Amino acid sequence: MTRTRIERVRAAVGIASLALQQIEDDLSADDVDQEELAAILRELIEDTDPPGGFIPFLAQLVTAAARRAERIEPDRDGDASCPLHEAAALITDNAGQRLIWAARALHPQGDS
C-alpha cells in the first residue's frame, strides 16, 4: 500500500512529537542542574552529528515550504511565501539566539 505525502508527513510529525516529548520529560526531571540544562539547550541549537541542531533544521524546513510557496502561490504576490520566510528568520534569529543566551547565562564555561 502506497502512503500519500500527507500521510508520510503526519507520521513524521508524530515521530518528531514523540522525540520532543522525551526532551520535555528530560527537561522536567528534578535532577537537571544548570550545566545539564545549558548542554540540553545547546543540543537544540547545534548538534554535532549531523551538523545543525533542531532549531536550524526547523528553520530550514520552513524555508523549504516558503520556496515551494513562491512557486505555487497565486499571482506570485508573496502572501504565503513572505510570512514563511519571516517565520524561518524568526526561528533562527530570535528563538535560536535566545537559546544561546540562556545557555550562556546558565553555564558560560560550556561555550566553545
Side-chain angles (χ1 to χ4, degrees), residues 3 11 18-19 30 33 41-42 45 48 54 56 59 65 72 100:
R3 293 170 117 186
L18 290 172
D30 290 335
D33 62 11
L41 294 175
R42 286 185 181 93
I45 302 161
T48 56
F54 174 75
I72 63 172
I100 291 168

Side-chain angles (χ1 to χ4, degrees), residues 4-79:
T4 66
R5 182 174 289 120
I6 194 66
E7 289 171 330
R8 289 191 307 271
V9 169
R10 189 174 294 128
V13 168
I15 292 166
S17 295
L18 290 172
L20 292 172
Q21 181 61 54
Q22 179 61 56
I23 294 168
E24 183 179 349
D25 292 347
D26 288 336
L27 287 168
S28 301
D30 290 335
D31 62 344
V32 174
D33 62 11
Q34 284 181 221
E35 185 175 347
E36 189 173 24
L37 179 54
I40 291 169
L41 294 175
R42 286 185 181 93
E43 285 297 317
L44 293 174
I45 302 161
E46 284 188 29
D47 187 11
T48 56
D49 185 24
F54 174 75
I55 297 295
F57 187 77
L58 180 58
Q60 179 182 335
L61 187 135
V62 174
T63 297
R67 288 183 182 141
R68 184 64 186 147
E70 287 172 352
R71 294 190 302 266
I72 63 172
E73 61 192 340
D75 303 324
R76 297 192 184 263
D77 55 8
D79 283 349

